[in-house]
């Protein structure tokens, strides 16, 4: 096995582990989660509306000689939907600006995938050549939160270009709505996370998770490291962080164009809005971009407010203790097992927020456009700004 020793060289190790993590996030997590989210959206909407959802498409066992195809509760729909979109005719109207028409769906899909590169999705799973654990994040950059805002805001260009390049009034109106909606909520979105920076003292997402492991989640400030302890001065921060979380969550609905803020596509008003003139894979890429943005947004929420991949009493990939029983009955469990558990904890939290996104979509009616603008400019902006000063006052006068 000496021929494989070059894989332990620092540069080579960094390259192949980064490629491995990228492939896992893209093909092992995001694409399956998108398919599962689309299926869950159809099942949850059916449940809320008291009707049957997709329950007929199963495994095509009859192709192998069996008499019946097992339905498998309709899970085959996750495979049937992308195949259906791939086989549809890609109809392109003559009047479109073809260059921008082609690149618009890609510009919508790529930013959410880039955001996922800086989100820590686990503790550690491998050990590096220097003996240190390898963090489960593709790019651990110090300006992680700024990178998230910078890249995620680029998604609006895809929608605006799609609306303009389609050369049709409904897509154009959808594009205009999207740009004004983005401007209205980007300010509140950015201001709502400033208290997180003030408390944690960093904008590195991995370090924010580490801070929450040691001091308790920002939305639930009880730490269990070294025994359960709680700092009383942080009682004053609970409502303030609740305000930050609510503003960030609602703004994320606007950022991802989900109901009740789906004004850029608004089927009843704009016949589908910015993607009216798209079909086949062009439409599918918009669809993929919307769900990828929802997954990335859920990942950011979990990382900033809910401790990322951590769960109280569950160790990270470098520990062998559980429920306080250090180096005793659990010492035989390898650290990689807990690293695997941490990854599953992170995606379980993300799935919980995806369910919340779906539940809200099929429960809350769409806002009128003037209501949306009023909410963003008159309420959220001022509340988020005042919240920053209140958190700063608590840190100055109450923190020991």
């Amino acid at each position: 096995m000496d021929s494989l020793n070059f894989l332990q060289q620092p540069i080579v190790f960094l390259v192949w582990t980064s490629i491995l993590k990228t492939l896992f996030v893209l093909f092992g997590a995001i694409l399956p989660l998108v398919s599962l989210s689309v299926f869950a959206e159809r099942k949850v909407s059916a449940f809320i509306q008291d009707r049957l959802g997709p329950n007929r498409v199963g495994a095509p066992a009859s192709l192998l000689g069996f008499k019946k195809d097992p339905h498998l509760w309709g899970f085959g729909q996750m495979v049937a939907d992308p195949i259906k979109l791939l086989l549809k005719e890609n109809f392109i109207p003559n009047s479109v600006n073809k260059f921008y028409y082609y690149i618009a769906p890609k510009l919508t899909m790529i930013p959410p995938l880039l955001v996922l590169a800086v989100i820590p999705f686990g503790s550690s799973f491998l050990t590096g050549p220097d003996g240190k654990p390898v963090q489960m994040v593709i790019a651990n950059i110090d300006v992680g939160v700024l990178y998230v805002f910078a890249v995620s805001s680029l998604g609006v260009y895809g929608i605006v270009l799609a609306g303009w390049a389609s050369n049709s009034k409904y897509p154009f109106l959808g594009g205009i709505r999207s740009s004004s909606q983005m401007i209205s909520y980007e300010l509140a979105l950015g201001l709502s996370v400033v208290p997180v920076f003030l408390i944690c003292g960093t904008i590195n997402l991995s370090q924010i998770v580490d801070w929450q492991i040691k001091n308790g989640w920002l939305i639930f400030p009880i730490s269990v490291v070294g025994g359960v302890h709680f700092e009383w001065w942080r009682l004053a921060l609970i409502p303030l962080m609740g305000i930050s979380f609510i503003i960030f969550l609602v703004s994320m609905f606007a950022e991802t164009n989900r109901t009740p803020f789906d004004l850029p596509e608004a089927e009843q008003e704009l016949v589908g809005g910015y993607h009216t003139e798209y079909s086949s894979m062009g439409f599918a890429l918009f669809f993929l971009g919307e769900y990828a943005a929802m997954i990335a947004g859920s990942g950011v929420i979990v990382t900033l407010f809910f401790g990322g991949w951590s769960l109280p009493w569950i160790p990270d990939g470098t520990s062998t203790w559980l429920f306080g029983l250090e180096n005793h009955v659990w010492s035989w469990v390898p650290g990689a097992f807990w690293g695997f558990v941490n990854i599953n904890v992170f995606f379980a939290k993300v799935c919980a927020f995806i369910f919340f996104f779906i539940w809200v979509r099929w429960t809350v009616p769409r806002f009128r456009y003037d209501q949306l603008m009023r909410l963003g400019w008159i309420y959220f902006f001022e509340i988020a700004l005042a919240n920053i000063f209140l958190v700063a006052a608590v840190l100055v006068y109450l923190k020991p």
Side-chain angles (χ1 to χ4, degrees):
M1 299 300 288
D2 292 340
S3 60
L4 298 179
N5 286 339
F6 76 99
L7 294 176
Q8 291 298 315
Q9 295 177 10
I11 299 299
V12 178
F13 184 83
L14 178 65
V15 170
W16 74 261
T17 53
S18 298
I19 293 174
L20 198 65
K21 286 184 282 189
T22 304
L23 293 176
F24 168 75
V25 169
L26 192 59
F27 297 104
I30 301 306
L31 292 181
L33 265 180
V34 168
S35 295
L36 189 62
S37 301
V38 175
F39 178 72
E41 177 118 36
R42 300 175 70 173
K43 293 293 282 188
V44 172
S45 64
F47 175 76
I48 291 174
Q49 296 174 342
D50 194 20
R51 60 179 173 81
L52 293 176
N55 63 348
R56 309 304 297 172
V57 182
S62 57
L63 296 176
L64 302 175
F66 292 93
K67 290 184 178 179
K68 290 184 177 180
D69 293 336
H71 292 164
L72 300 177
W73 303 279
F75 274 97
Q77 196 72 44
M78 292 193 296
V79 180
D81 281 336
I83 292 176
K84 179 181 67 178
L85 287 168
L86 277 170
L87 296 179
K88 276 189 174 180
E89 180 187 5
N90 189 19
F91 180 80
I92 302 174
N94 288 327
S95 59
V96 302
N97 184 316
K98 290 190 177 176
F99 176 72
Y100 294 110
Y101 181 86
Y102 276 121
I103 66 170
K106 288 80 175 177
L107 289 177
T108 304
M109 183 194 69
I110 291 174
L113 299 181
L114 292 177
V115 167
L116 293 163
V118 298
I119 297 177
F121 58 90
S123 55
S124 61
F125 198 72
L126 301 168
T127 302
D130 54 357
K132 295 182 179 178
V134 178
Q135 291 183 320
M136 289 294 103
V137 56
I138 297 172
N140 185 22
I141 58 178
D142 289 336
V143 291
V145 179
L146 296 181
Y147 170 88
V148 167
F149 286 136
V151 172
S152 61
S153 61
L154 296 178
V156 70
Y157 287 100
I159 295 177
V160 172
L161 281 178
W164 177 79
S166 294
N167 197 20
S168 173
K169 61 181 179 182
Y170 291 129
F172 182 72
L173 287 173
I176 294 295
R177 282 186 174 191
S178 179
S179 55
S180 57
Q181 178 174 316
M182 184 67 70
I183 294 170
S184 304
Y185 281 88
E186 277 285 320
L187 288 173
L189 189 72
L191 292 175
S192 66
V193 295
V194 172
V196 177
F197 311 153
L198 293 176
I199 296 171
C200 298
T202 178
I203 55 174
N204 180 302
L205 290 170
S206 295
Q207 292 177 5
I208 290 175
V209 173
D210 291 339
W211 190 94
Q212 293 182 82
I213 293 172
K214 296 173 184 172
N215 300 281
W217 298 355
L218 286 171
I219 206 72
F220 184 67
I222 296 179
S223 173
V224 298
V225 176
V228 178
H229 60 89
F230 175 74
E231 297 173 294
W232 292 103
W233 67 273
R234 291 190 64 188
L235 275 175
L237 287 180
I238 293 177
L240 301 179
M241 292 313 300
I243 291 172
S244 281
F245 167 65
I246 291 172
I247 293 176
F248 191 85
L249 180 66
V250 175
S251 299
M252 193 57 70
F253 273 90
E255 183 93 359
T256 55
N257 296 319
R258 296 280 299 182
T259 306
F261 305 126
D262 63 335
L263 293 164
E265 53 186 84
E267 294 92 344
Q268 296 88 341
E269 305 163 31
L270 300 181
V271 203
Y274 62 90
H275 56 60
T276 301
E277 304 295 344
Y278 283 86
S279 58
S280 186
M281 282 310 294
F283 174 77
L285 288 178
F286 281 123
F287 213 55
L288 179 64
E290 177 182 326
Y291 280 88
M294 188 168 63
I295 294 168
S298 300
V300 175
I301 292 171
V302 166
T303 302
L304 291 178
F305 296 99
F306 289 86
W309 46 262
S310 68
L311 197 66
W313 292 289
I314 299 297
D316 61 25
T318 62
S319 303
T320 56
W321 55 264
L322 184 68
F323 301 126
L325 301 176
E326 188 171 2
N327 294 327
H328 293 293
V329 293
W330 300 103
S331 60
W332 56 273
V333 180
F337 172 79
W338 297 120
F340 178 75
V341 171
N342 295 148
I343 293 173
N344 283 277
V345 165
F346 175 79
F347 284 106
K349 293 180 182 177
V350 169
C351 288
F353 272 99
I354 291 173
F355 173 79
F356 180 74
F357 272 84
I358 295 171
W359 175 59
V360 169
R361 176 179 180 180
W362 294 96
T363 306
V364 180
R366 179 183 301 130
F367 275 42
R368 280 201 326 265
Y369 204 70
D370 60 308
Q371 293 173 329
L372 177 141
M373 302 297 281
R374 185 182 302 116
L375 186 66
W377 285 111
I378 297 181
Y379 297 106
F380 278 180
F381 177 73
E382 285 78 0
I383 293 173
L385 197 59
N387 199 39
I388 294 173
F389 290 103
L390 291 173
V391 170
V394 170
L395 293 176
V396 171
Y397 295 108
L398 296 183
K399 184 179 178 182

